[in-house]
């Protein structure tokens, strides 16, 4: 007799009520056995009625209140820490703008349960609902010498593919990995926590695999990269790069220092040098 694994779904949200409700609707419509599923949602101070709407439409969701200053990474840390205090067989990271396909959860669990190595993180890939293009998923290193150059890995239709780290839009993490590495690093504000988790997992011997096919639809969000827009004034680009949703200089420094090796400081400074070069030098715009 096969025992259904217990799993916690972890989300965080802020003022995206329509997205959050649609995401949860797709989650609860999964073909998987949801009898041992618990959903932990951090509402980070939404003012659009998200928490109230979720409580009404999905009363089983465990709502956690944030201060409004948690952003994605620290919101996910709160959800992860709360769920881990109970303990589950699996933890599923899920962005609230990711709409799972009906069999996504069933397929992820079946794929992981078929693996020989249980200390494996399984990364789900998402695609644009209109174009079908890959938007988020697993990253593979694209440069031998540059530690921060990655490209998104197109999923195979039928086989899991190894990757180096991941976006956190849809990630299945088994308890065996959590036992070794713990939960997401709360030192980051918004970005880097997902990439950091994947890199740290690999450092201690865990594996990362991109699951076959696509797990759902999620449009690409370009807002965190507006500092790369060369048509903006240099002052505006430098301001944007240091926001919490940009690189955020302290978070970027922490990330590059941990994974950049001996020359980490050059990688830390490189975005600022690139802004100056592309904004001020003739012929670079």
């Amino acid at each position: 007799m096969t025992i259904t694994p217990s799993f916690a779904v972890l989300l965080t949200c802020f003022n995206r009520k329509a997205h959050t409700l649609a995401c949860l609707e797709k989650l609860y419509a999964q073909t998987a056995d949801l009898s041992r599923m618990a959903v932990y949602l951090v509402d980070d101070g939404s003012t659009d009625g998200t928490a109230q709407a979720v409580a009404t439409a999905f009363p089983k969701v465990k709502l956690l209140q944030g201060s409004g200053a948690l952003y994605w990474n620290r919101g996910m840390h709160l959800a992860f820490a709360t769920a881990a205090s109970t303990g589950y067989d699996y933890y599923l990271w899920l962005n609230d703008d990711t709409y799972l396909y009906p069999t996504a959860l069933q397929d992820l669990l079946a794929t992981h349960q078929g693996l020989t190595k249980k200390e494996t993180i399984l990364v789900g890939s998402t695609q644009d609902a209109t174009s079908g293009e890959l938007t988020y998923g697993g990253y593979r290193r694209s440069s031998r010498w540059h530690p921060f150059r990655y490209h998104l890995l197109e999923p195979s239709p039928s086989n899991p593919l190894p990757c180096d780290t991941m976006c956190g839009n849809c990630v299945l993490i088994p308890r065996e990995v959590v036992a070794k590495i713990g939960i997401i690093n709360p030192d980051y504000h918004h970005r880097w926590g997902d990439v950091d988790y994947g890199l740290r997992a690999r450092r201690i011997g865990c594996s990362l695999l991109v699951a076959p096919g696509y797990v759902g639809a999620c449009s690409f969000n370009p807002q965190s990269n507006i500092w790369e827009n060369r048509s903006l004034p240099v002052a505006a680009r430098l301001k944007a790069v240091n926001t919490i949703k940009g690189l955020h200089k302290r978070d970027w420094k922490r990330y590059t220092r941990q994974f950049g090796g001996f020359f980490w400081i050059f990688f830390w400074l490189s975005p600022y040098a690139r802004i100056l070069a592309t904004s001020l030098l003739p012929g670079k715009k």
Side-chain angles (χ1 to χ4, degrees):
M1 179 179 178
T2 303
I3 300 176
T4 301
S6 62
F7 56 96
V9 183
L10 314 178
L11 309 94
T12 186
C13 67
F14 176 72
N15 279 352
R16 299 200 298 188
K17 180 169 65 175
H19 277 304
T20 305
L21 292 173
C23 173
L24 290 172
E25 182 179 351
K26 296 294 186 182
L27 174 62
Y28 279 100
Q30 290 292 295
T31 58
D33 183 351
L34 306 182
S35 61
R36 301 189 70 197
M37 179 181 79
V39 181
Y40 293 79
L41 171 65
V42 174
D43 179 74
D44 194 25
S46 295
T47 57
D48 65 349
T50 298
Q52 297 91 327
V54 169
T56 299
F58 304 99
K60 291 184 178 181
V61 170
K62 302 179 188 298
L63 273 167
L64 306 170
Q65 291 300 319
S67 63
L70 293 179
Y71 293 88
W72 182 84
N73 187 74
R74 292 181 176 179
M76 291 298 285
H77 176 267
L78 175 58
F80 209 158
T82 306
S85 67
T86 296
Y88 294 89
D89 296 321
Y90 290 98
Y91 301 85
L92 181 75
W93 295 358
L94 184 63
N95 264 28
D96 74 328
D97 60 349
T98 296
Y99 304 150
L100 294 177
Y101 296 147
T103 65
L105 190 49
Q106 178 178 306
D107 293 341
L108 285 171
L109 290 169
T111 298
H112 196 278
Q113 289 169 349
L115 299 175
T116 301
K117 184 177 181 179
K118 299 307 179 184
E119 294 171 344
T120 299
I121 294 172
L122 199 57
V123 185
S125 303
T126 62
Q127 59 187 159
D128 185 87
T130 302
S131 69
E133 293 182 0
L134 171 65
T135 51
Y136 297 100
Y139 285 125
R140 183 173 285 177
R141 282 277 297 273
S142 54
S143 171
R144 289 186 177 182
W145 68 270
H146 198 305
F148 303 119
R149 285 188 179 164
Y150 296 97
H151 66 270
L152 279 170
L153 183 62
E154 192 79 35
S156 162
S158 55
N159 300 310
L161 299 176
C163 62
D164 296 306
T165 187
M166 73 254 183
C167 304
N169 290 60
C170 182
V171 179
L172 186 69
I173 304 172
R175 63 183 180 186
E176 291 86 354
V177 170
V178 178
K180 290 191 71 171
I181 192 176
I183 63 175
I184 198 167
N185 187 348
D187 291 336
Y188 297 102
H189 290 78
H190 184 67
R191 301 179 71 176
W192 311 119
D194 46 2
V195 180
D196 168 275
Y197 197 89
L199 293 174
R200 286 192 293 121
R202 290 201 66 213
R203 275 185 175 179
I204 62 173
C206 298
S207 297
L208 274 77
L209 295 175
V210 172
Y214 287 98
V215 298
C218 181
S219 298
F220 178 69
N221 181 4
Q223 293 302 310
S224 60
N225 294 326
I226 59 173
W227 60 273
E228 294 183 307
N229 185 347
R230 299 183 183 187
S231 66
L232 296 176
V234 62
R237 294 180 68 189
L238 288 172
K239 182 178 180 181
V241 77
N242 282 323
T243 61
I244 287 179
K245 290 190 176 182
L247 292 184
H248 193 272
K249 60 184 177 182
R250 288 191 297 275
D251 288 0
W252 176 238
K253 182 177 181 180
R254 179 178 295 109
Y255 172 61
T256 53
R257 190 169 188 172
Q258 184 166 7
F259 301 108
F262 185 77
F263 297 105
W264 71 268
I265 195 167
F266 296 101
F267 297 115
W268 175 49
L269 293 173
S270 62
Y272 308 103
R274 189 161 69 249
I275 288 174
L276 293 174
T278 56
S279 296
L280 302 179
L281 295 181
K284 291 290 184 179
K285 292 187 178 181

